[in-house]
Amino acid sequence: MRIAKERGFAIRDHSLYLYADCTRPDCPHRRARRADAQALKTRTGE
């Protein structure tokens, strides 16, 4: 916040987003994510 103030800004909100990919060769989460994406495409007609 100090740097923002020094540069003439007032922080009104903030958030932190983290994006990660599983590094395991046979990651069970990777398959679930693909299935979710495919289901979404089917529902939206893409």
Side-chain angles (χ1 to χ4, degrees), residues 28-43:
H29 305 291
R30 190 176 303 132
R31 278 191 230 106
R33 185 174 169 190
R34 284 184 193 146
D36 290 344
Q38 186 59 43
L40 180 60
K41 285 181 181 179
T42 301
R43 282 190 299 239

Side-chain angles (χ1 to χ4, degrees), residues 9-22:
F9 291 89
I11 303 296
R12 63 178 152 87
D13 198 3
H14 68 89
S15 62
L16 174 64
Y17 292 95
L18 299 174
Y19 299 94
D21 293 312
C22 183

Side-chain angles (χ1 to χ4, degrees), residues 1-12:
M1 295 218 305
R2 179 183 56 83
I3 293 171
K5 187 175 181 179
E6 288 173 1
R7 297 184 179 171
F9 291 89
I11 303 296
R12 63 178 152 87

